[in-house]
Amino acid sequence: MNIGIDKIGFYTPPFALSMEDLAVERGVEPAKYTVGIGQSTMAVAPVTQDIVTMGANAAIEILDEADKEAIDMILVGTETGIDQSKSAAVYIQKLLGLSNRVRSVELKHACYGATAALQLAKGHITLNPESKVLVIASDIAKYGLKSGGEPTQGAGAVAMIVSAEPRLLRLEDEASLFTDDVMDFWRPNYEAYPMVDGKFSNEQYMRFFAEVWTDYATQTGATFADLEAICFHLPYTKMGLKAFKPFLEELPEEEQERLTTRYQESTAYNRHVGNIYTGSLFLSFISLIETSSVLVAGDRIGFFSYGSGAVGEFFVGELVEGFEKQLRVEVHQQLLENRKQVTVAEYETLFSQMVDESGEQTFQVEDKSLFILSGVHQHQRQYQKQ
Ligand code: HMG
């Protein structure tokens, strides 16, 4: 049975900050952010957007009535949980008007959560071929104002419908996995922002890519010539290339050029959004299929998933016949273009507005997204469809 991604949608909040403006304000050479790190704009989440609203905003654009009837599982990968107990998937089930006869769960392992969700969805469809699974990756990456990680922040969600006989991408069965207990990035329950050893995290990312790619190639006999492109988890757009480079340099020039061009296409959207943790890999996939003009059905695409802490996985998907009908190029490009460009001062204000411990709050933000968090009443988040 063919199982994979039938549809894919994306949402990012309606505010964005120029990395050049941030660099000037922080007294940093702008090229460090735009070239060294490879980010042009950073998505900024207002207090009216959290993982629930972003996930629902990403999913609503791809759901039709047939999907709503067939979905019997909602999996939300995130590391920006809003509750220690209740899962974001339950709120999303209600906001989207999905059936009550669904299994709803939130999954966590840093940026790897949504890949785990995708593989679990595949297993579920294998047992229940008529089912569809809604997989959502939703996160807000915040490291703190003036922190080392500040230029690698971002916010957004990707929603995927996983089904049998998918119309976009068939997932192959082979995958290479690697888990090792490393302290490169973590967030204790009492901390608002992660603790991160930036340089060490880069090294671990590169080590994990080498581990899973080498193992995948040994297991399957695959070479880079078998893949039209590789999508990477992108904490910032330079990162994937840093890990890929030692392998790229060993390839014939023509192959290097092809894979480097595909890499640029797969990072185009991420360059304007920043890190969205669990969703970054899948945003890279959307960027690739919506900005490349050379992809054809049958092309095989590699995926490198990395979640600090750390778990890595390499797997492959094949574009299916008619995949281009599933693209939402205009919707996604408008989403990026129509964002309000904020000043650094406005970004700092938006950054600092949060749900607090009072249990009673009302939020006033110019946010026209379909789903918003309008406030908190008796410690319960108040979601609204506008
Ligand atoms: P930093 O110390 O500010 O930057 O940290 P740097 O000094 O390493 O410079 C960055 C690059 O800019 C370097 O390039 C410089 O040479 C270059 P590289 O040597 O690496 O190729 N540069 C310039 N280029 C052009 N013109 C200039 C210029 N100046 C410098 N004028 C760091 C950067 C990413 C470490 C920091 O922002 C950070 O800690 N970010 C958060 C951690 C992170 O993103 N880690 C990535 C791997 S871990 C991961 O992906 C998992 C994660 O998503 C979490 C999860 O799984 O949940 C983070």
Side-chain angles (χ1 to χ4, degrees), residues 208-225:
F208 275 62
F209 175 67
E211 281 286 352
V212 292
W213 165 254
T214 309
D215 180 59
Y216 180 85
T218 310
Q219 263 190 60
T220 62
T223 67
F224 289 114

Side-chain angles (χ1 to χ4, degrees), residues 284-300:
S284 164
F285 173 57
I286 298 174
S287 179
L288 173 74
I289 55 180
E290 293 189 351
T291 60
S292 180
S293 56
V294 301
L295 297 175
V296 292
D299 280 346
R300 294 172 71 219

